[in-house]
């Protein structure tokens, strides 16, 4: 994280000499529920909690800022998995159709069509 690199003066130093060692990381396993993950994050007093698969691959990241935003904005629109829903706007030009397809493929929750004056079909 940025904390690992904030005070590094030797920009040629290998990353392995700067970053937190794997053995010292506080992580949670994939499938952990949000309440349990939040408890680990609070207890560890870390800024971020990596969620890892059984193969030790990063699958998610929970941050202390997420907890604060969740408390500050309890009415934010979230899906059944308690993840923020995402919307995107597209225009009415032919290229915007490709953008809309890409957004759907990426998992956008809603698309808003901006037709300016309403006469650009």
């Amino acid at each position: 994280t940025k904390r690992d690199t904030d005070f590094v003066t030797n920009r040629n130093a290998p990353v392995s000499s700067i970053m937190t060692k794997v053995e010292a990381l506080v992580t949670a396993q994939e499938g952990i529920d949000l309440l349990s993950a939040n408890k680990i994050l609070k207890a560890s007093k870390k800024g971020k909690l990596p969620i890892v698969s059984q193969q030790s691959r990063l699958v998610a990241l929970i941050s202390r800022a997420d907890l604060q935003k969740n408390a500050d904005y309890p009415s934010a629109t979230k899906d059944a998995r308690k993840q923020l829903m995402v919307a995107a706007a597209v225009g009415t030009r032919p290229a915007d159709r490709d953008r809309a397809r890409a957004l759907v493929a990426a998992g956008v929750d809603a698309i808003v069509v901006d037709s300016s004056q309403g006469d650009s079909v």
Side-chain angles (χ1 to χ4, degrees):
T1 64
K2 184 154 174 34
R3 286 185 206 179
D4 289 307
T5 61
D6 273 347
F7 302 107
V8 174
T9 55
N10 179 4
R11 293 298 178 187
N12 294 317
V15 172
S16 61
S17 71
I18 299 166
M19 300 300 288
T20 304
K21 304 291 184 223
V22 172
E23 303 80 34
L25 284 177
V26 176
T27 64
Q29 287 295 310
E30 182 176 19
I32 190 170
D33 64 87
L34 190 56
L35 183 61
S36 298
N38 289 342
K39 286 180 182 178
I40 293 170
L41 187 58
K42 287 178 184 177
S44 69
K45 299 181 181 175
K46 300 286 184 185
K48 307 222 176 2
L49 177 66
I51 309 298
V52 296
S53 68
Q54 289 182 337
Q55 296 79 28
S56 297
R57 295 188 184 272
L58 181 67
V59 295
L61 188 66
I62 297 175
S63 72
R64 188 171 294 278
D66 293 338
L67 295 176
Q68 187 59 51
K69 287 178 186 175
N70 197 37
D72 290 345
Y73 305 102
S75 298
T77 304
K78 297 177 184 170
D79 64 15
R81 294 178 12 203
K82 296 190 178 186
Q83 294 181 330
L84 288 173
M85 296 185 80
V86 176
V90 296
T92 57
R93 294 184 179 94
D96 292 325
R97 291 180 183 172
D98 294 333
R99 176 175 155 77
R101 284 187 200 94
L103 289 165
V104 169
V108 72
D109 297 297
I111 295 177
V112 177
V113 178
D114 180 0
S115 62
S116 301
Q117 304 299 322
D119 60 358
S120 56
V121 178

